[in-house]
Amino acid sequence: MSGGARPPGRDETGEAPPEEWPAPSIAPVPIGPGMASVAPVEIPGRRLHPLTPLLESFRLLIAVVLASSWQMYVQENIRVGVVIAILAGTFGAVSGLLSWLFTGYRVVGGELQISEGVLIRKSRTLPLERLQGIEVAQPLRARIFGLAQLRIEVAGASETEAPLSYLKLGEARELREQLLALSGRGGAPVAEAAAEAAPETAEGTPIARVGAARLAAGTVLESLPPTLIAVALLVGLGAVLNTVLNAYGVESEVWQAAGVPFLFGLLTAALQTGSGILRNWGFTLSRVDGRLRVERGLTEKNSNTVPLGRVTAVSVQTPVMWRLKDWRRVQVSTASIAQQGAEGIVHGSALLPVGTVAEAELVAGTALPGITWPAVTATLTRPPRRARWRTPLTWRLRGAGLGEDVFAVRYGLVKTVTVAVPYARIQQVEVTQGPLQRAQRLATVRARIAGSVSHDPVALHRDAAEAVAMAAELRRRADAAAAAEQPRLS
Amino acid sequence: MSRRDPRGPSLPFDHWPTDLDWQPMAGELRTVRLLGMGVRILLLAVVLSVPLALWLGPVGLLYAFGAAAAFAALRSWIIVRAVRAWGFAEREKDLLVKHGLLFRELSIVPYGRIQLVDLKAGPIERVFSLTTVQIRTAALGAVTEIPGLDPQVAEGLRDRLSARAAEVREGL
């Protein structure tokens, strides 16, 4: 709770009683960067869309229908089925209605407050100045009714676990714009933001699109090596077992026993590949006044917005099979701990799922304004030759370098990753040295960034003197970059 | 960045580009660590002595406690050196903490990025009037710890850190 002016008539606990909530529709509010600090923009308490309970209990509903019809089919006892359906239906309806009645959100003093819970009241407060990104997601069931979820990412919290669902699509987009404007970031001029009051007219400048053919080819190529390795292992194991058993004169059927998990594994791999293609279908990256917007998805439509100043790291990745085609993926990470994708929690969100080198360089340059990717990769230098035996396969492609504005590190064989972190985003620096490294006069430098651990750039096995010099230089540049930054980000 | 460093530093952290004023831990830290180790090894010796005594008779007791004493001597030597390896240095804009004997580690925490400074002291630490300073930044899972400081030193450090952190807020 920041000490923002509260409108009269609201209780001091910061939690409005539910009966106060069905508020009139939102008044025209001034939107613009910096407005939050001048005159707190407020959105009075509002409820989610009335269809929410139906959609929330969608899976339960289907299960109940299936169970009761199965009951009817097996027992030919219509009465039991009907009773089950009615009981479950009433229970679901009442609990859904209750939870809908007690759930609401509002914006007060630069904070988004979400309150929920019937028996145990819960009120979450998201400080908007720490906003890392907003995603408007439309799962298939919500799309049917023109509804959407709003997933909000805040620094230091995995709040995406409980998204605001469901809102009307228009309302969700409008709220997104308002929250982004309230976060005071993105540098949208006031006039422009006001023009965006009717959203979706603002298309932004498209930066990259991914065609269906390349997406499919890229996704399949990426999932090919693990699948092939798994298949080869299983087949090999089955063959060996079979031979051994046959040698002992046992009529073996291990083949068939191994066949089931084998097929199952193949099926899962295929399904995962398929869902990957569906997820990134029609991928479009565009730049809307200082923010990056990603639109993607065939069944579940997603629209993810990341303010440019929030990018803590950019990584360009090449899964091993993509070398054939010279394709790249570009991911960014922000300070929110985890970002939730359709497949669960992923670290970093893709700005380009598959693209050519030129496209990847363009996207990386957009995500980190002021850098050119080839210049960044040119700064990478290998670890000393005496470290080669420690990572024989990756020594050749490993590298670390101090670019003009970024610290860049390259590593990885199955998936070669080049990660670049702007100096201003480096939180702290560590130098470590194990006993073997000491004998070889090597050391490892690690720059830590806010949020995810997996995107920390780690320069493995550098020369010890170089490592210490590198750490000192990183600290010096981080200070210089942070001092030059206007305005300070929090 | 020369790869051909004829005789590169084997202790890199003592070869920081500029001179550093490394502050040691309080002498009581060694006592606390030694005491904790002694208690643990004594327990181990007791547990070990029961089966040995049953098996070999009184000689078993001798073996068990002999082995424990030898182990304790080795550990003491390591602990004394490990405590000596801890150190922190305050620079103009950041705090350096070094520790580790076998696996050396140097953490550099800029004041502007500090989110939280904790002081804590366990019961044994309190007896010897020691305080641990924990420093957190927004980086996940990176807690920088300075164990075993005199309470006055720890509080002074905490106050200086918080003051500097408020002065130069650098954010995420």
Side-chain angles (χ1 to χ4, degrees), chain A residues 238-316:
Chain A
V240 167
L241 263 176
N242 225 27
T243 338
V244 169
L245 287 177
N246 280 344
Y248 281 96
V250 183
E251 281 297 314
S252 148
E253 306 209 337
V254 169
W255 253 141
Q256 288 152 32
V260 177
F262 169 69
L263 279 180
F264 186 74
L266 264 192
L267 198 70
T268 343
L271 274 179
Q272 267 173 5
T273 312
S275 81
I277 294 175
L278 287 187
R279 203 163 52 237
N280 286 325
W281 190 270
F283 191 97
T284 312
L285 172 72
S286 50
R287 191 184 161 144
V288 187
D289 47 69
R291 298 167 200 139
L292 294 172
R293 180 166 299 167
V294 167
E295 316 254 356
R296 60 183 172 86
L298 186 64
T299 52
E300 169 167 346
K301 271 183 104 71
N302 278 51
S303 164
N304 194 7
T305 309
V306 179
L308 266 183
R310 285 310 194 187
V311 173
T312 53
V314 171
S315 66
V316 174

Side-chain angles (χ1 to χ4, degrees), chain A residues 61-81:
Chain A
L61 215 68
I62 287 188
V64 165
V65 168
L66 279 182
S68 55
S69 46
W70 176 252
Q71 190 74 21
M72 286 184 219
Y73 175 75
V74 172
Q75 302 199 341
E76 295 182 4
N77 187 347
I78 296 174
R79 215 177 297 160
V80 176

Side-chain angles (χ1 to χ4, degrees), chain A residues 41-55:
Chain A
V41 178
E42 312 225 332
I43 297 173
R46 280 196 282 180
R47 286 218 176 93
L48 302 172
H49 194 272
L51 275 176
T52 300
L54 183 71
L55 291 178

Side-chain angles (χ1 to χ4, degrees), chain B residues 27-37 40 124-125 128 130:
Chain B
E28 287 90 350
L29 179 63
R30 202 171 47 208
T31 323
V32 170
R33 293 266 160 109
L34 284 175
L35 215 64
M37 182 269 301
R40 246 169 287 150
I124 300 174
E125 283 181 314
F128 289 90
L130 284 179

Side-chain angles (χ1 to χ4, degrees), chain B residues 40-119:
Chain B
R40 246 169 287 150
I41 287 186
L42 194 68
L43 277 177
L44 191 77
V46 169
V47 169
L48 206 68
S49 65
V50 172
L52 275 180
L54 287 179
W55 183 32
L56 299 171
V59 192
L61 279 179
L62 205 68
Y63 282 152
F65 283 93
F71 187 52
L74 183 71
R75 285 290 305 163
S76 322
W77 181 63
I78 291 175
I79 283 175
V80 168
R81 292 192 52 200
V83 167
R84 209 181 297 151
W86 275 97
F88 72 96
E90 288 173 80
R91 294 204 304 163
E92 195 191 336
K93 283 179 176 165
D94 46 22
L95 175 78
L96 272 64
V97 181
K98 65 168 183 176
H99 68 94
L101 210 57
L102 212 51
F103 293 87
R104 279 158 196 270
E105 196 171 326
L106 170 75
S107 307
I108 313 162
V109 188
Y111 300 131
R113 311 275 184 177
I114 292 174
Q115 302 274 343
L116 208 66
V117 183
D118 279 341
L119 295 189

Side-chain angles (χ1 to χ4, degrees), chain A residues 81-97:
Chain A
V82 169
V83 166
I84 291 179
I86 288 178
L87 275 181
T90 355
F91 177 74
V94 169
S95 66
L97 196 69

Side-chain angles (χ1 to χ4, degrees), chain B residues 1-17:
Chain B
M1 312 241 162
S2 62
R3 214 181 57 195
R4 293 213 125 281
D5 221 347
R7 189 66 237 159
S10 55
L11 303 168
F13 312 152
D14 301 333
H15 291 253
W16 191 259

